[in-house]
Amino acid sequence: MKTLVIDGIKVRIQIWDTAGQERYQTITKQYYRRAQGIFLVYDITSERSFQHIMKWASDVDEYAPDKVQKILVGNKSDDVEKRQVATEQGVKLAKAYGMDFFETSAFTNHNITETFTRLAEQVLAANKKDLDLLRISLNDELNLTALEEEEGLGDGASGEQNKSCWC
Ligand SMILES: Nc1nc2c(ncn2[C@@H]2O[C@H](COP(=O)(O)OP(=O)(O)OP(=O)(O)O)[C@@H](O)[C@H]2O)c(=O)[nH]1
């Protein structure tokens, strides 16, 4: 669980790190169904992991909600000597999928906050309509309560006042 503040909105993010191995894929797919944002992560020191992104992306298309937000991530950017996937390859693939792209390092923390913030921003933007409706109904509720209290229709002391009038 991680909390971020985006445009003054406190966003609590629940993060699931799904297993990469083939044998866990039946379980992994179950996580997609309720996901709002997904990182497709490969290892820049492994060409094989980069090739696997296509498979992950097609699974996401098949099992995740249509409005799920996706970001391509090339991790282990600190491991320069072992790099097998050029930054340009990541950029190109992300462009083809219409995703944002970051190279990160869980080791040095490079781009970690930026990547999470970006995905949270995208999820918020994708759900903006629902959020706005929620804000409007919350405002209406607060206005109604304030009005009731002003007119003495609310609970508590003002309720007692009304009662005394009716006697
Ligand atoms: N140098 C470096 N090593 C990393 C980085 N991130 C992870 N590792 C190392 O890579 C190895 C695999 O990391 P995991 O977090 O188990 O990878 P995973 O993708 O969750 O593996 P699965 O369980 O197969 O899903 C570990 O030895 C980590 O220490 C990184 O950014 N830089």
Side-chain angles (χ1 to χ4, degrees), residues 3 34 55 65 67 73 85 101 118 122 142 148 162 164:
T3 304
R34 290 184 59 204
K55 164 81 180 114
K67 106 174 162 177
V73 177
V85 185
F101 171 66
R118 184 71 196 119
Q122 289 186 353
L142 289 174
E148 280 176 355
N162 287 335
S164 60

Side-chain angles (χ1 to χ4, degrees), residues 17-21 24 41 43 45 56 75-79 82 104-109 112:
D17 177 10
T18 61
Q21 292 107 313
Y24 296 120
V41 185
D43 173 351
T45 71
W56 291 114
N75 190 41
K76 297 201 189 177
S77 63
D78 60 285
D79 213 345
K82 290 201 198 138
T104 62
S105 167
F107 191 60
T108 64
N109 260 341
I112 299 295

Side-chain angles (χ1 to χ4, degrees), residues 10-22:
K10 203 170 180 182
V11 185
R12 190 130 44 97
I13 307 171
Q14 192 173 24
I15 305 154
W16 298 94
D17 177 10
T18 61
Q21 292 107 313
E22 196 87 37

Side-chain angles (χ1 to χ4, degrees), residues 22-41:
E22 196 87 37
R23 62 194 157 125
Y24 296 120
Q25 291 228 341
T26 321
I27 308 167
T28 304
K29 284 171 189 163
Q30 296 176 24
Y31 289 102
Y32 295 163
R33 244 179 294 149
R34 290 184 59 204
Q36 293 177 296
I38 291 180
F39 294 119
L40 291 160
V41 185

